[in-house]
Amino acid sequence: MTHAWVRWLVGLVVLSVLGIAALQLYSTRSPWQPYAAAARQYLELGLDADSSALAAQSVGPEPSAWVMAARRQDPALLRRWSGTSFRVRAGNRSGDTVLVSLESRTASGCPQSNRLTAGFLEQAGRRRLFALDSRCVKGFASAEIAPIEFELAPSR
């Protein structure tokens, strides 16, 4: 009797693993996800206040200044952002410029603390930030980028 129970359990585990593997083969990945990972890594550098690494991964001083302003204003928020896996809400490519609207799974404090917009410039195979923005970082608005806003059409 015990032997049949173990055989059933092993069979169920094998079928579960095969089912998960099959689902992963056919699931699509967002083309914007690498940008979410790059934004998170940039925020980690800002948390460490690594200005030389920030400058190397950005185009101009604005992204570095924005991250440092966020670090001064709300270090806990920057820690949450740098430790989270962002979900991409929307993305747009125009030539060598990519804008992504990101959403974290953790939110507290500022009502929009789970949203972040990032602008990237891709040249010669390098992806560098030119702008970051969130409504939670006060007194520092990048002139280069505005948050990506969109509305869903009502379903019929």
Side-chain angles (χ1 to χ4, degrees):
M1 184 80 173
T2 306
H3 187 23
W5 172 255
V6 171
R7 192 178 302 165
W8 181 82
L9 184 61
V10 169
L12 184 62
V13 168
V14 168
L15 283 176
S16 297
V17 168
L18 290 174
I20 290 171
L23 286 175
Q24 287 180 346
L25 283 175
Y26 294 103
S27 65
T28 59
R29 292 210 164 175
S30 168
W32 312 115
Q33 203 56 45
Y35 300 96
R40 187 185 58 76
Q41 290 170 347
Y42 195 83
L43 294 168
E44 285 176 359
L45 293 173
L47 194 58
D48 295 337
D50 188 346
S51 58
S52 62
L54 287 170
Q57 293 187 23
S58 60
V59 178
E62 289 86 6
S64 300
W66 187 92
V67 167
M68 298 316 265
R71 184 174 187 264
R72 280 189 305 275
Q73 289 176 28
D74 194 348
L77 177 61
L78 192 57
R79 258 191 303 282
R80 282 193 304 277
W81 278 339
S82 66
T84 191
S85 171
F86 285 109
R87 181 178 75 84
V88 180
R89 296 180 66 231
N92 185 31
R93 175 183 295 277
S94 177
D96 58 1
T97 304
V98 175
L99 297 176
V100 289
S101 177
L102 307 170
E103 184 173 70
S104 75
R105 294 171 185 10
T106 58
S108 64
C110 171
Q112 297 290 319
S113 67
N114 63 336
R115 299 220 176 129
L116 180 72
T117 303
F120 292 90
L121 183 65
E122 290 189 326
Q123 292 178 322
R126 284 191 68 199
R127 177 178 302 139
R128 298 186 320 161
L129 269 164
F130 70 84
L132 281 168
D133 196 23
S134 169
R135 292 182 179 160
C136 294
V137 179
K138 306 280 187 243
F140 188 91
S142 175
E144 303 288 332
I145 190 170
I148 298 172
E149 296 292 333
F150 59 94
E151 292 182 25
L152 298 175
S155 59
R156 296 178 189 225

